[in-house]
Amino acid sequence: YHASVISHMMKAMIEDKAVIKRSVSVMSVSYQLERIADLANNICEDVVFMVDAEVIRHHRNPYFNEHTM
């Protein structure tokens, strides 16, 4: 998701120099939200481990296969 935001904001900044400051802010927010999501995911994985003694890190998502990645 963050990569698509960066791509979109870069295009917007190239087309209109007036949106550079706003675009940089949007990119920063996008990065921070992605980081928050990663940390929340880590917390969830830790909780599953504490409750079920099951390590779920680095498991493939069953909804994706090699062809979709």
Side-chain angles (χ1 to χ4, degrees), residues 24-37:
V24 170
S25 294
V26 169
M27 289 188 294
S28 177
V29 168
S30 173
Y31 172 79
Q32 296 301 326
L33 288 173
E34 184 175 55
R35 185 71 185 125
I36 290 168

Side-chain angles (χ1 to χ4, degrees), residues 2-7 10 12 19-20 23-24 30-31 37-38 41 46 49 52 55 57 59 62 65:
H2 176 64
S4 66
V5 170
I6 296 297
S7 175
M10 294 298 287
V19 302
I20 290 176
S23 295
V24 170
S30 173
Y31 172 79
D38 289 343
N41 189 60
D46 289 345
F49 179 75
D52 297 334
V55 177
R57 294 177 193 257
H59 283 179
N65 61 35

Side-chain angles (χ1 to χ4, degrees), residues 1 8 14 17 19 31 54 57-58 61-62 65-66 68:
Y1 174 77
H8 182 74
I14 290 168
K17 306 296 186 227
V19 302
Y31 172 79
E54 178 183 352
R57 294 177 193 257
H58 310 297
N61 187 329
N65 61 35
E66 298 82 31
T68 60

Side-chain angles (χ1 to χ4, degrees), residues 9 11-24:
M9 291 296 103
K11 289 176 187 173
M13 289 188 288
I14 290 168
E15 292 173 6
D16 184 3
K17 306 296 186 227
V19 302
I20 290 176
K21 186 174 180 180
R22 197 171 355 160
S23 295
V24 170

